[in-house]
Amino acid sequence: MKHRIITISREFGSGGRTIGRLTAEKLGIPCYDHELIDRIAEQSGFGKEYIKERGEYTSHASWIASAFSERDFYGHSNQDYLWNVQRKVILELAEKESCVIVGRCADYILRDTADCLKVFIYADMAKRAERIISQYGESSEAPEKRLRDKDKRRAAYYQFYTDMKWGEARHYHISLDSGTLGIEKCVHVISELY
């Protein structure tokens, strides 16, 4: 019997991580977010900070050029190795138990192998800026710039490894505006759909 999986893809600052955790608690199933980083670190040998930054984000705006320049003689990069380990860990989790998986292209990785509810969480720029300031504090960088940069890097990573456009509605079963609906309503809707 296949396990039921919820994948949460999200814009930076939209509360997707919180929604994933609260949904898992409500349903009584595990949520894998930071826990994924621990498992990937164990299997890959990379440090947790490296995985946190490179496991779903490009390293910088000109990542595509960098990705090709960092390849070894055989055409492989650390990023490719990390992608393969991450993919393996996500597939193992989906095989083992019903769960919520936040980010890391899990919606794409599990597209053919799991009974999967694919969710995308978004919110308008003002609500997300307000949220990252309250969650992560002030920064020397304007919140809107931080949001645009993170989303741009996440979108580039997603497109590179999936050949699909990140955030495009047709790739998900449901897209929820957490800024308008609120965190609790998003949790309720996802739980009901599950």
Side-chain angles (χ1 to χ4, degrees):
M1 180 175 114
K2 284 188 177 181
H3 299 288
R4 301 206 63 211
I5 312 297
I6 298 171
T7 62
I8 307 279
S9 300
R10 75 274 183 233
E11 289 182 332
F12 182 62
S14 66
R17 173 175 286 129
T18 302
I19 290 166
R21 183 178 46 79
L22 292 174
T23 300
E25 286 174 14
K26 185 172 183 171
L27 296 170
I29 59 177
C31 179
Y32 293 101
D33 179 21
H34 293 295
E35 302 81 2
L36 274 176
I37 294 171
D38 295 338
R39 288 174 184 250
I40 294 166
E42 287 171 16
Q43 291 193 25
S44 71
F46 288 121
K48 291 178 187 177
E49 281 305 310
Y50 182 86
I51 294 165
K52 186 177 178 183
E53 237 349 82
R54 296 268 183 126
E56 66 179 342
Y57 292 109
T58 60
S59 57
H60 48 73
S62 61
W63 178 72
I64 298 297
S66 173
F68 287 109
S69 67
E70 293 175 0
R71 297 196 175 275
D72 65 17
F73 179 76
Y74 301 102
H76 304 112
S77 70
N78 282 348
Q79 191 81 43
D80 295 336
Y81 175 69
L82 183 59
W83 165 260
N84 287 324
V85 172
Q86 181 171 282
R87 183 180 178 283
K88 179 177 179 255
V89 167
I90 288 169
L91 288 167
E92 286 171 356
L93 289 172
E95 183 66 31
K96 180 180 144 198
E97 63 189 344
S98 295
C99 60
V100 175
I101 301 176
V102 179
R104 307 196 178 280
C105 302
D107 59 300
Y108 176 80
I109 291 168
L110 298 174
R111 71 194 181 284
D112 297 325
T113 60
D115 181 4
C116 202
L117 174 62
K118 298 181 283 184
V119 179
F120 188 80
I121 305 294
Y122 67 97
D124 71 28
M125 185 68 74
K127 296 264 170 99
R128 293 192 298 139
E130 182 182 304
R131 182 173 175 78
I132 66 166
I133 290 170
S134 71
Q135 292 287 313
Y136 308 116
E138 296 287 341
S139 168
S140 58
E141 190 176 36
E144 292 81 4
K145 184 178 182 327
R146 287 169 65 194
L147 291 166
R148 280 190 296 273
D149 179 55
K150 288 272 194 178
D151 286 346
K152 183 177 181 180
R153 291 171 48 214
R154 192 173 278 170
Y157 178 90
Y158 189 87
Q159 184 157 0
F160 186 83
Y161 282 103
T162 69
D163 200 26
M164 297 186 333
K165 188 173 180 183
W166 175 77
E168 191 170 278
R170 66 190 177 105
H171 299 306
Y172 307 94
H173 295 114
I174 187 168
S175 294
L176 299 170
D177 181 345
S178 62
T180 300
L181 297 172
I183 300 294
E184 290 302 321
K185 186 66 170 177
C186 289
V187 169
H188 174 75
V189 169
I190 296 166
S191 299
E192 287 297 308
L193 287 172
Y194 180 80

